[in-house]
Amino acid sequence: MLNNAIALLNAWFPPTEVHAHCDGPCGVYDPSSARITAEAVLSMTKKIMALEEPSDAAGKVAYANTLSRYIAIKEEQAQKTKEDLLILWTDYFKPVHLESYPDLHDTFWKAAKLCSACKVEVSQQHAEELMAAVEKIHGIFWATKGREVTWVTAS
């Protein structure tokens, strides 16, 4: 009986066909969060590299505490960057974008690999390469929306 009522309602008020580009409503996706977290990876990497281990016992404890905190933040932010990039790659970008950006998959794959590299090592070069990859993705993303959005960093 309920099925008959629903069928009757559908006949009287047929649903409108809609088309969506991505999984969520427009405006949900934005590469800015990946920029912020990638920038934190670079910042923590620089801080780690600048740390100097003191010779006294109390200084060594403070050094170990600071170093472990910087490492934890660097790894956490690299993971967040990877998650943000993977969401953009798998949820926002569609096959139609490959026509304009045939290297799209390679760009994201390499950026995700850089996130992993930044988690397991302390390399300013890789952290800077990650920032460059996120900047490239930023440019592609906004170009697909027909907008120019300036790349801005905190530092």
Side-chain angles (χ1 to χ4, degrees):
M1 181 165 189
L2 182 60
N3 287 339
N4 291 340
I6 291 172
L8 188 59
L9 283 174
N10 279 335
W12 288 342
F13 306 103
T16 305
E17 184 175 336
V18 296
H19 300 278
H21 166 75
C22 47
D23 294 343
C26 289
V28 167
Y29 300 103
D30 189 325
S32 63
S33 57
R35 182 212 26 99
I36 292 167
T37 54
E39 196 166 7
V41 171
L42 178 58
S43 175
M44 290 299 106
T45 298
K46 288 178 180 179
K47 288 179 180 296
I48 290 166
M49 295 175 72
L51 275 179
E52 293 183 22
E53 187 172 3
S55 58
D56 63 291
K60 285 184 183 223
V61 170
Y63 169 84
N65 181 60
T66 300
L67 178 61
S68 65
R69 290 177 61 236
Y70 288 172
I71 291 169
I73 292 168
K74 175 185 67 75
E75 291 184 11
E76 175 187 326
Q77 297 302 303
Q79 182 61 34
K80 285 181 180 180
T81 304
K82 182 187 273 188
E83 290 167 3
D84 289 340
L85 292 177
L86 293 177
I87 288 169
L88 283 175
W89 186 17
T90 59
D91 293 356
Y92 173 76
F93 286 99
K94 302 296 179 204
V96 68
H97 294 122
L98 291 171
E99 296 169 14
S100 300
Y101 303 96
D103 66 337
L104 188 68
H105 291 315
D106 193 54
T107 299
F108 272 95
W109 183 77
K110 287 179 179 174
K113 288 300 199 181
L114 282 167
C115 291
S116 295
C118 288
K119 286 187 339 186
V120 300
E121 60 190 29
V122 180
S123 168
Q124 185 170 336
Q125 177 183 342
H126 283 154
E128 288 172 353
E129 289 172 0
L130 176 59
M131 283 294 294
V134 172
E135 181 176 7
K136 181 178 180 180
I137 290 165
H138 164 94
I140 293 170
F141 174 86
W142 289 111
T144 65
K145 292 182 162 283
R147 293 180 52 197
E148 284 188 41
V149 175
T150 305
W151 172 258
V152 179
T153 59
S155 54

